[in-house]
Amino acid sequence: MIRRLDATTAPAALLPSFDRRRLRPRILHIGPGAFHRAHQVPATDAANAAWGDWGIAGLSLKSDRLARALTPQDGLYTLVARDMEGCDLGLCASLLSVRGPSQEKSSSNWLDGIFLSVPLAIVSLTVTEKGYCARDRSLDLDHPDIAADLRGEAPPQSAVGLIARGLAARHRHGLPPLSIMSCDNLPANGALLRDLVLAFAAEVDDRLAAWIAAEVAFPASMVDRITPATTDALLREVTEAHGLHDAAPVVAERYSAWVIEDRFAGDRPAWERGGARIVADVAPFEAMKLRMLNGTHSLLAYAGALAGHELTRDAVADPALAALARAHLAAAAATLPPVPGVETAAYAEELLQRFANPALGHRTAQIAIDGSQKLPQRIFAPALETLQRGGSPATYSFATASWMHWIEQTGPVIDDPRAAELHAAVAGAAADDAVARFSTLADLIPSDLAAAPTWRQTVAADLAALRGGGMAATLAKRRWA
Ligand code: CS2
């Protein structure tokens, strides 16, 4: 009988070097999925190993799966980090607990309790792009989760509603403000979250909104670590390595980067100890990461999947796709302001190596999820800037046509909150009609880009070529400048 990993069975040699008993829940993290557990938790471990009492209380809004897996393990789990040079396997220890929606339903006092606790200093979140319930960067008051939270139903459905409710409790009790930190791949994620929380608060109570505006800090952050979804094979591998059963291990590349805006309402962990950079302005780092890494990732996901590649590493091993990725990285780099201490050409080479990581199986289908929430910042915004500067948007239009073709090939079952409208807009329409229909979908393609004849023509021509000859034949005929 294999024992389960927990606080009593965890091998000391695999634990970070601090006494876990001294941690208190000082960070509430919404969305403790694989990315959070591969990125912010180990950085918090490194901070705690230096000093501090920074425990994390995790909260899943939509599913009890992680609470079920991690509660019997006392929040402990294995992180496997690997690349061509090696593999590190260790336990992460700063996550103290994970709760799910069922527990919130039965005892919603916990949430108010944690927001009213004095040690709490930070609320952080990784809820993915769609978790912000925004339309064109404004709060979508018609979103069912926001509407439910405005009616005050329990448990909270949205991160924004939950944060506003928690801040309201602190405000009522005269407690100090908090720092609320987005760790999602969105441009100006701090300012965006601030606007959304303020818009929610303004619907509830003007004085609350004024207090939040004056006192609460919303630092921006750029987060980076490639973290494929956990598979059964990883579960088996980890069980073999430890001789212990871990129901929630995480695998990631060894590379990790975190750039955080120096804007906190109170204390924070010494995340620098975990390699984080604390800077006055995150914007250049974030634009570089979103446009170069994430933009190329999305391009490779759709074009790669259409070429029959299940994994990103196989997509970049395909010379035609590698040439496309290289051209796209150069085009994305050309839209960027100078990035302090970073040479974008070297960053591009490093990205190609990270995508090729033979030790990771990162599925193109995973990156392809939620395109409607990702492509506006990854593809459309830099495409418009490129066009406005007189540059060629060729790789952007190819990414867009690949996405459209992938939607029609995959069908309305695609994993995207706008799946039905996207599929209806492309399926069965002539290429130029499909492009025209996409242009009229709300909050997707900026109107200046959608109206540009070069853009419409190249996307339609690429879509027609993909429909006619498939990905491999289309790429064989293309040269990227
Ligand atoms: C990926 C990201 O799934 C996706 O959309 O582009 O999750 C990517 O792996 C991370 O941002 C890397 O830091």
Side-chain angles (χ1 to χ4, degrees):
M1 174 70 180
I2 299 176
R3 285 179 311 161
R4 191 189 258 277
L5 167 69
D6 64 22
T8 58
T9 59
L14 294 180
L15 281 167
S17 62
F18 56 84
D19 184 352
R20 217 177 167 227
R21 286 168 305 186
R22 81 164 191 249
L23 304 189
R24 296 179 296 164
R26 304 204 59 196
I27 302 175
L28 170 65
H29 185 83
I30 312 170
F35 182 74
H36 170 66
R37 286 177 294 126
H39 188 270
Q40 298 106 63
V41 181
T44 309
D45 281 351
N48 282 324
W51 73 85
D53 55 358
W54 292 94
I56 304 173
L59 178 66
S60 307
L61 286 174
K62 298 289 175 195
S63 147
D64 291 317
R65 190 179 57 83
L66 280 174
R68 277 202 209 105
L70 283 157
T71 304
Q73 300 184 185
D74 303 311
L76 294 169
Y77 63 91
T78 313
L79 171 61
V80 182
R82 58 188 169 208
D83 60 20
M84 223 154 64
E85 259 100 64
C87 173
D88 311 317
L89 184 146
L91 297 175
C92 293
S94 295
L95 183 63
L96 298 178
S97 62
V98 174
R99 293 175 65 95
S102 306
Q103 283 155 299
E104 281 326 295
K105 210 173 265 166
S106 52
S107 74
S108 60
N109 291 344
W110 180 83
L111 245 190
D112 293 337
I114 189 156
F115 268 102
L116 292 180
S117 76
V118 176
L120 187 75
I122 295 173
V123 178
S124 55
L125 49 160
T126 44
V127 292
T128 79
E129 296 84 347
K130 65 177 172 239
Y132 287 74
C133 306
R135 273 194 163 238
D136 212 7
R137 293 183 71 86
S138 297
L139 187 65
D140 180 1
L141 293 171
D142 298 327
H143 192 294
D145 292 349
I146 297 294
D149 288 349
L150 281 171
R151 289 192 299 270
E153 287 167 17
Q157 298 295 313
S158 70
V160 168
L162 182 150
I163 291 166
R165 172 174 138 186
L167 289 174
R170 277 184 90 84
H171 181 229
R172 262 196 318 277
H173 286 80
L175 286 170
L178 298 172
S179 304
I180 317 283
M181 180 173 57
S182 164
C183 295
D184 281 296
N185 289 317
L186 285 160
N189 54 11
L192 170 71
L193 183 57
R194 180 176 190 271
D195 289 350
L196 301 175
V197 172
L198 282 175
F200 188 101
E203 293 289 316
V204 179
D205 171 1
D206 282 340
R207 278 172 316 166
L208 170 64
W211 179 73
I212 296 174
E215 305 283 343
V216 177
F218 290 85
S221 79
M222 178 281 255
V223 292
D224 189 8
R225 189 169 210 180
I226 293 176
T227 308
T230 295
T231 58
D232 289 344
L234 181 74
L235 258 86
R236 282 195 297 275
E237 187 190 323
V238 164
T239 306
E240 254 166 55
H242 288 320
L244 290 170
H245 176 67
D246 179 350
V250 183
V251 65
E253 61 181 337
R254 288 167 92 206
Y255 177 99
S256 183
W258 196 3
V259 184
I260 305 171
E261 186 185 8
D262 192 3
R263 179 193 290 272
F264 283 80
D267 251 6
R268 62 164 173 84
W271 280 313
E272 300 88 327
R273 298 291 180 135
R277 276 177 79 171
I278 313 293
V279 302
D281 184 12
V282 172
F285 299 95
E286 165 209 278
M288 175 180 79
K289 194 264 172 170
L290 267 175
R291 293 180 175 194
M292 293 183 71
L293 189 157
N294 297 114
T296 311
H297 240 180
S298 290
L299 167 64
L300 283 170
Y302 301 118
L306 289 171
H309 300 299
E310 201 194 326
L311 303 177
T312 323
R313 69 172 192 231
D314 298 331
V316 279
D318 176 333
L321 285 166
L324 169 63
R326 255 178 215 290
H328 187 71
L329 285 164
T335 69
L336 298 174
V339 189
V342 186
E343 188 48 72
T344 51
Y347 181 65
E349 287 308 313
E350 184 182 62
L351 286 178
L352 290 167
Q353 280 175 23
R354 288 173 60 196
F355 295 160
N357 188 343
L360 282 189
H362 198 190
R363 294 178 62 237
T364 47
Q366 183 186 344
I367 304 167
I369 290 173
D370 288 349
S372 69
Q373 313 295 303
K374 294 174 176 173
L375 297 200
Q377 55 276 7
R378 297 182 181 196
I379 300 293
F380 306 141
L384 177 59
E385 285 173 30
T386 302
L387 208 59
Q388 284 169 338
R389 281 204 212 127
S392 158
T395 60
Y396 296 103
S397 50
F398 195 79
T400 307
S402 300
W403 178 48
M404 294 170 73
H405 191 44
W406 174 84
I407 293 170
E408 64 187 351
Q409 296 270 295
T410 317
V413 294
I414 58 163
D415 195 343
D416 190 303
R418 301 183 70 176
E421 344 164 38
L422 296 172
H423 185 257
V426 66
D432 44 2
D433 288 340
V435 173
R437 288 193 203 166
F438 260 67
S439 305
T440 60
L441 296 176
D443 313 317
L444 191 65
I445 302 179
S447 49
D448 287 351
L449 181 63
T454 341
W455 172 259
R456 293 170 86 110
Q457 284 152 15
T458 47
V459 179
D462 288 339
L463 178 60
L466 289 171
R467 283 175 168 179
M471 183 56 68
T474 304
L475 281 177
K477 291 194 205 120
R478 296 294 294 262
R479 291 288 164 273
W480 308 101

